[in-house]
Amino acid sequence: MEERIFNKDEMENYGIEITSVSSFIDEVNKIKDDLSGSNEELFFRGQKTDFWDIKPSIFRDYSLSVEHTLMQVPLLKVPHEFKSINNDFEIMTKYQHYGMCTRLLDLTTNPLVALFFACEPYGEVYYKGLLDDLSKEDDKEQDSKVQEANGVVFFNKSYPTHTNGVEIKVISALSKMDLSKDNTVESVLGKLEENNVISKSLGEKWRSEDYYKEFIDIVQNNYVVIPPYTNERLTRQCGLFLLVSCFNFSYTESIKTSTIEKGYKDLRDEFDRRFFYILGENKARILDELDTYNINEATLFPELEHHLSYIKNKKNALKIPSSEFIKFNYHDILENSKISGGNIIENILDNEEFKLEVIKALNEKYSFDIDELWKVIELWTSIVDWNCQGSIISKFKIRIQRVLIDNGLNKEQAKKDADYICNNVIETGIKLLKGSD
């Protein structure tokens, strides 16, 4: 089990606890009031743990070193998939949709979508550091807790950039370049010109000592981008992206011989210092509330597998125990018929001694309350000529087994005991009826 430190100071100073959908909406509306009259766009990101960094997938597992390969190989392997795509950013967007590592970070303009992702189950985590004071030795156990991971929603505001901006074109093109070798500014600008990402005049401008800072600013900033809604998932999730740059610049004797290389960082400072957090114990309940607002796996993910997953998980909540299959045994019916001789009739329940003897035998055998067992027996013996009806005997045994399993017996023992109880009831009934003849 993962062991994590609970950052109590950060939660108390900057975290806003969310316990319901309505409380979340109220808090978001407070933030929106601050934007009154501004063209800035509020964006959100939900993460199902409070201890994950905020990084695009290309920054994980040393993937950055092979980014240029990941960006180009699919274009060679399945070129028909990209015929209708016009630029590098749109290629990256399609990669992101299908799970490829990219320098795109998923965001949304819909706060409820972010809340859904923050409430997704992660699994149990061992949290430490829940208390301020551990002066007593006995408090150490209270300072830790095993629970579902807490979720978080980050947010900020920005002026979104469109995909045709020069900044977006430059960063998207750089993602396809191998900057581990030929990475001088002169070489990089030359490749951008060759690929028609920038004009020759703009390249010359950025090579000059007066304007190279303009180029460096572009490759060291990150951009909130409104993508073309080329797939339904983006539309449903009100998606947009943070296009992450993070290119390091090393100045030498001149701008032309200076170099740039790919770098990475945690992007926490791209979001407001404040954040929303959801305790693990509240996640499931909030997901149920979101479902009421039609925010669920099926509505956010249009693919069939997500619809089926949603239906399966929804119906799982309604499941009740079913009977184990028991093969019908004709031999038992013949044996029971021989024992009974067809003599047990509906008035056996009128015999008080029958009930007393059966209940006494059950109480001697079992330590649990046998009331449910007696109800099954009472129903069974009230049916006329039940001993001649194999289906009735079979159903009786199944019901008896179910009661026994509910009271702690394993399936094999429950089956044996059901046979015993059936025969005991028959023998008791026959004995008493014969005695009254």
Side-chain angles (χ1 to χ4, degrees), residues 24-25 29 66 74 93 123 130 139 150 161 241 248 275 300 315 322 366 404 423 429:
F24 182 61
I25 292 173
N29 283 334
V66 293
T93 300
L130 300 174
D139 287 338
N150 301 323
T161 304
F241 296 111
N248 294 322
F275 60 93
L300 297 182
K315 293 303 180 183
S322 300
Y366 303 110
L404 294 173
N423 289 332

Side-chain angles (χ1 to χ4, degrees), residues 255-271:
I255 181 59
K256 292 183 179 181
T257 58
S258 297
T259 60
I260 63 172
E261 64 178 4
K262 296 179 179 182
Y264 67 90
K265 62 173 289 191
D266 185 348
L267 298 166
R268 183 64 183 89
D269 58 4
E270 293 291 329
F271 296 85

